[in-house]
């Protein structure tokens, strides 16, 4: 049971910081936070993403490119231009690394105000850090596994962030329903997004990219947005006043 709880904590913890920090803050900047809070969030993202840690800088730029080039050949991840989800994941990984290591030229509009902590990212995204997390996950399983099938959950711990990514970037452009007809294949995966904490409302997000709330209809409850509202109320972050176009 401890192993299952551990995976659930990693799933929702890593997902929250990917959605809250990397997506809504780094890429879309729908709220602001102090530099101290920003650094704390960098560290918490590393703790919960562990071996699959993603840089806010690399993620933020790549996601902006996804919105600018959705479902075109320049899209960093599109089912329309990749043979299968594994090909898409490999392409995404390559572009992400090229951005982080500054091997490709990036348009200034994609880099403006994207948070970056070079020294921390150099450590958190290093092979050394990833190996340490993998060793920790294995040791945890060694001590707490109570049935053979629980070992099948170990790869999920290793690859949590890429799994989150492929659910939205692959399945979120193939399956689901649409609230808004657009010139792209974005879909809403769930009527109530219990699995992806609001990220599953992908069609809504492509329509209103600057909105902190990915839900539109009454049943589309965005759990990440609700937490954002609490953090805003507590003064830890400050939501921007954004007018959503209809």
């Amino acid at each position: 049971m401890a192993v299952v709880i551990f995976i659930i904590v990693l799933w929702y913890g890593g997902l929250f910081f990917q959605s809250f920090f990397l997506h809504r803050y780094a890429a879309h900047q729908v709220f602001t936070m102090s530099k101290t809070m920003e650094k704390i969030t960098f560290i918490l993202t590393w703790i919960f993403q562990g071996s699959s840690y993603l840089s806010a800088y690399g993620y933020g730029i790549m996601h902006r490119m996804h919105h600018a080039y959705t479902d075109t050949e320049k899209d960093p991840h599109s089912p329309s231009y990749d043979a299968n989800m594994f090909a898409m994941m490999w392409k995404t990984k390559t572009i992400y690394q090229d951005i982080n290591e500054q091997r490709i030229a990036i348009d200034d509009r994609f880099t403006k105000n994207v948070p970056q902590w070079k020294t921390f990212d150099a450590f958190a995204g290093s092979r050394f850090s990833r190996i340490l997390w993998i060793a920790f996950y294995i040791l945890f399983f060694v001590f707490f596994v109570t049935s053979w099938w629980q070992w099948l959950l170990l790869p999920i711990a290793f690859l949590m962030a890429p799994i989150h990514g492929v659910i939205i970037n692959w399945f979120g452009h193939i399956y689901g329903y649409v609230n808004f007809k657009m010139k792209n294949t974005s879909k809403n995966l769930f009527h109530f997004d219990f699995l992806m904490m609001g990220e599953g409302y992908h069609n809504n997000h492509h329509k209103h990219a600057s909105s902190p709330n990915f839900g539109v209809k009454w049943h589309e409850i965005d759990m990440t947005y609700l937490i954002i509202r609490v953090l805003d109320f507590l003064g830890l972050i400050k939501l921007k006043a954004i007018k959503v176009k209809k």
Side-chain angles (χ1 to χ4, degrees):
M1 190 62 181
V3 165
V4 174
I5 294 172
F6 180 67
I7 291 296
I8 291 172
V9 169
L10 286 184
W11 179 274
Y12 286 105
L15 177 60
F16 170 75
F17 284 101
Q18 183 169 328
S19 182
F20 167 77
F21 184 56
L22 306 183
H23 190 181
R24 308 189 202 206
Y25 179 73
H28 294 292
Q29 299 181 340
V30 300
F31 57 86
T32 60
M33 65 172 73
S34 68
K35 287 299 179 182
T36 299
M37 185 65 182
E38 185 178 281
K39 281 183 164 48
I40 290 171
T41 312
F42 263 103
I43 295 168
L44 290 173
T45 302
W46 172 66
I47 290 171
F48 282 96
Q49 287 192 329
S51 61
S52 60
Y53 173 79
L54 294 173
S55 154
Y57 183 77
Y59 183 101
I61 291 173
M62 188 167 63
H63 187 71
R64 290 180 181 183
M65 292 170 65
H66 170 62
H67 275 271
Y69 304 128
T70 309
D71 288 332
T72 68
E73 291 186 43
K74 292 184 178 181
D75 191 338
H77 38 69
S78 171
S80 300
Y81 286 88
D82 292 302
N84 54 63
M85 72 174 73
F86 300 105
M88 187 195 75
M89 290 172 72
W90 188 260
K91 176 183 174 183
T92 302
K93 169 184 172 293
T94 301
I95 294 173
Y96 167 81
Q97 290 179 331
D98 286 345
I99 293 170
N100 267 340
E101 297 175 22
Q102 300 181 324
R103 292 195 291 249
I104 56 175
I106 303 294
D107 193 308
D108 289 345
R109 62 181 166 144
F110 299 133
T111 63
K112 185 179 179 180
N113 297 325
V114 177
Q116 187 177 27
W117 189 1
K118 288 185 178 180
T119 53
F120 183 77
D121 276 346
F123 164 71
S126 68
R127 185 173 299 177
F128 174 73
S129 172
R130 298 188 194 282
I131 290 173
L132 280 180
W133 280 114
I134 287 171
F136 169 70
Y137 298 153
I138 291 172
L139 282 174
F140 187 91
F141 272 65
V142 167
F143 281 101
F144 293 103
V145 159
T146 56
S147 181
W148 67 268
W149 62 265
Q150 293 176 5
W151 284 104
L152 301 176
L153 300 174
L154 187 57
I156 297 176
F158 294 162
L159 301 169
M160 193 68 76
I163 292 170
H164 290 153
V166 79
I167 289 173
I168 301 303
N169 297 321
W170 181 266
F171 294 102
H173 281 266
I174 298 176
Y175 304 107
Y177 69 97
V178 298
N179 286 331
F180 306 99
K181 291 184 179 180
M182 304 179 67
K183 294 181 179 179
N184 62 57
T185 59
S186 61
K187 307 283 195 303
N188 293 326
L189 283 171
F190 314 101
H191 289 276
F192 169 61
D193 187 11
F194 65 95
L195 185 67
M196 300 300 294
M197 296 186 70
E199 290 289 314
Y201 304 132
H202 201 50
N203 174 251
N204 297 349
H205 174 56
H206 270 271
K207 177 64 176 178
H208 302 299
S210 61
S211 173
N213 185 2
F214 292 1
V216 173
K217 295 185 176 180
W218 69 269
H219 54 80
E220 295 171 345
I221 299 171
D222 182 350
M223 295 303 298
T224 301
Y225 174 65
L226 295 180
I227 297 172
I228 286 173
R229 289 292 301 271
V230 172
L231 294 175
D232 176 65
F233 175 78
L234 294 174
L236 297 174
I237 63 172
K238 184 172 179 57
L239 273 167
K240 293 181 178 179
I242 297 173
K243 292 181 179 180
V244 179
K245 296 180 180 179
K246 295 182 179 180

